Amino acid sequence: MSRPTDVAVVNRILVVGHGMAGARFVQELRSRDLGRRFEVTVLGAEPEAAYNRVLLSSVLAGKLTPAEIETVPSAWYAAEDVELRTGVEVAAIDRHGRRVLTTAGEHVPYDHLVLATGSTAWVPPIDGLTGDDGEPGRDVAVFRTLADCRAMLARLDRIRYAVVLGGGLLGLEAARGLAGRGVRVQVVHPADRLMERQLDLDAGRVLARTMDELGVRVRLNARAVRFTEGWGGGGRGLLLEDGTRLPADLLVVACGVRPNTRLAAAAGLATDRAIVVDDAMTSVTDPAIHAIGECAEHDGQVYGLVAPAWEQAAVLADALTGGPARYRGSAVVTRLKAAGVDLAAMGETDVDDHESDAEVLRFADPARGTYQKVVIRDDRVTGAIMLGGAETVGAVTQLFDRAAPVPADRRALIFPGVAAAVDPADVPDDHTVCRCNGVTAGRIRACGADTVAEVAATTRATTGCGGCRADVAALLTSRSTVEVPA
């Protein structure tokens, strides 16, 4: 049967995935599609409204409620004439018929299919972690979704001891959240340092000491071999390779994620580490299918952070509406979201001081939880670790983002007292305050907001990792104290 060719049908866009990438894409599309040329349907496997996954650790710690991390209210979709269907899982893609099949047996047609399926938690093959059905055991949890977070919160009163497998971003955030609730937590990590992909050895040591002071014990170079129960009737626990037994009422698995490429691979799309896309975020196999976020691989890179996903969402929305935007990759800045820890890492970090073409600035004060390292090549910041360096992290990040020349007195990158402090009122309008959303100081000043919440609602600043909240507040304060000439 031939396909209809009227405009309304030709422009059907189906989004599979209602996470941070999928929800942002729909917003970006509607902001460009003022004439409503596109019919948009969103299928989300989770039953929740769109929420900020980055802030799940704050919910676990009790700092925020689930409602407070909602990013796109469900009412927005109705107002923007977008069909949102939550709790719907897709079983297969029919590329020939341009439709997807849901697990309920329904066919949903598309003209452009946007895959924003994200990643799934990886559970290592350790004895006792999963049952016969391959699912995590009763006392084993992953920390990936709001449902995972709620499940842990529901059993907090029965948890005295917890072990977190994995000392990366997610593992440390989960561990800190549980410790903040009074749980005795240990992190088991197989590498010689925490966050080994982002930190050098010295920074990892300082971070481990900081975590210990916050109630999280860290075990490095440690390998788990079995999760079991019944040690003399003493409950469940984790056995390590060296024979150490750790008590655990709950085992949290945070050993990394894998891009969710199941649908794409089964449909014959090119996949490597993830779904291979071009500069327009379009599958290199099928021009009617696109991928963004953690399930997309561009130029050999798969980004597991929110800022690149949002950049990709904007590029795809622009490309589908006839715009010129193309994705050229992202300069990644990793921020750890854990109460009591202020950490940002970017670019090349594990650089030896003896490399002839690199300047390496370094300052460490482990007792105060401070470790700062800046790598400079050709008068440009090419990498940095800023642990406990809240005063200068903004300036260093800006220099890294823009590949701008560093100051002649390099000490100003680490010690804010070396250079005169910059009054928020003097920050230039083109200074990027919120990296996640690309919001400048000028845009914040011009939005007319009086509170951080109003700025967030108007510009989206602070709605990503939240690390710019203090800077936004300072801008608002400086604006309110500036005298207006009569």
Side-chain angles (χ1 to χ4, degrees), residues 12-46:
R12 291 176 302 192
I13 293 181
L14 176 62
V15 182
V16 175
H18 189 224
M20 297 183 76
R24 175 56 64 89
F25 164 74
V26 176
Q27 290 181 304
E28 295 284 357
L29 182 74
R30 275 299 187 238
S31 71
R32 293 164 172 80
D33 180 33
L34 302 180
R36 297 294 188 268
R37 292 181 294 126
F38 295 97
E39 292 183 359
V40 184
T41 301
V42 181
L43 304 180
E46 294 184 60

Side-chain angles (χ1 to χ4, degrees), residues 111-453:
D111 292 294
H112 284 279
L113 174 63
V114 177
L115 297 176
T117 50
S119 296
T120 56
W122 180 64
V123 179
I126 296 173
D127 186 28
L129 262 59
T130 60
D132 294 337
D133 58 359
E135 295 298 315
R138 182 188 60 186
D139 297 316
V140 177
V142 295
F143 185 49
R144 183 69 183 158
T145 68
L146 189 52
D148 298 331
C149 188
R150 284 190 169 122
M152 282 191 271
L153 290 173
R155 57 182 299 171
L156 270 179
D157 59 346
R158 302 190 299 276
I159 300 174
R160 291 183 59 204
Y161 301 96
V163 172
V164 177
L165 274 184
L169 273 177
L170 202 58
L172 295 180
E173 290 173 356
R176 181 66 184 101
L178 289 169
R181 296 280 195 165
V183 178
R184 299 180 67 176
V185 185
Q186 298 193 59
V187 171
V188 172
H189 194 53
D192 61 354
R193 76 200 79 167
L194 297 172
M195 294 178 61
E196 70 276 7
R197 293 183 180 180
Q198 294 88 18
L199 305 183
D200 63 14
L201 187 58
D202 290 335
R205 288 171 176 163
V206 175
L207 179 58
R209 176 172 177 162
T210 299
M211 295 301 294
D212 185 71
E213 292 173 351
L214 293 171
V216 177
R217 183 177 181 186
V218 176
R219 292 180 177 270
L220 299 172
N221 296 307
R223 296 187 179 276
V225 296
R226 185 166 65 253
F227 183 58
T228 188
E229 63 179 330
W231 296 336
R236 298 180 70 88
L238 185 70
L239 175 66
L240 303 184
E241 192 175 50
D242 65 1
T244 302
R245 298 173 181 263
L246 307 179
D249 302 308
L250 176 69
L251 180 69
V252 181
V253 179
C255 298
V257 296
R258 299 291 184 270
N260 189 354
T261 61
R262 178 184 60 83
L263 290 173
L269 298 178
T271 60
D272 187 6
R273 295 169 58 205
I275 303 167
V276 182
V277 297
D278 61 19
D279 291 351
M281 306 311 298
T282 298
S283 163
V284 298
T285 308
D286 189 332
I289 300 181
H290 318 270
I292 55 176
E294 294 177 323
C295 69
E297 177 179 338
H298 173 270
D299 197 22
Q301 295 291 318
V302 179
Y303 300 93
L305 300 172
V306 64
W310 284 350
E311 291 172 15
Q312 293 171 0
V315 166
L316 178 57
D318 198 67
L320 288 178
T321 52
R326 293 296 181 267
Y327 186 63
R328 306 301 184 193
S330 297
V332 175
V333 177
T334 301
R335 298 200 72 135
L336 175 62
K337 291 294 297 176
V341 184
D342 190 353
L343 169 63
M346 61 205 79
E348 53 177 356
T349 55
D350 205 2
V351 176
D352 193 285
D353 299 62
H354 300 101
E355 289 193 22
S356 59
D357 62 340
E359 295 180 57
V360 181
L361 312 179
R362 194 192 308 262
F363 173 76
D365 185 355
R368 297 178 183 273
T370 299
Y371 179 89
Q372 298 181 65
K373 176 181 179 180
V374 180
V375 180
I376 300 170
R377 298 182 192 270
D378 298 323
D379 279 340
R380 304 294 190 273
V381 173
T382 59
I385 300 171
M386 308 297 286
L387 174 56
E391 298 88 351
T392 56
V393 65
V396 171
T397 302
Q398 287 285 322
L399 292 170
F400 173 73
D401 275 341
R402 300 181 179 188
V406 297
D409 190 340
R410 310 298 205 231
R411 294 175 300 167
L413 299 175
I414 292 178
F415 303 109
V418 171
V422 178
D423 190 302
D426 296 328
V427 172
D429 282 347
D430 64 352
H431 175 86
T432 301
V433 177
C434 176
R435 287 193 76 259
C436 295
N437 291 287
V439 183
T440 64
R443 189 174 171 194
I444 293 172
R445 291 179 176 124
C447 74
D450 295 318
T451 66
V452 173

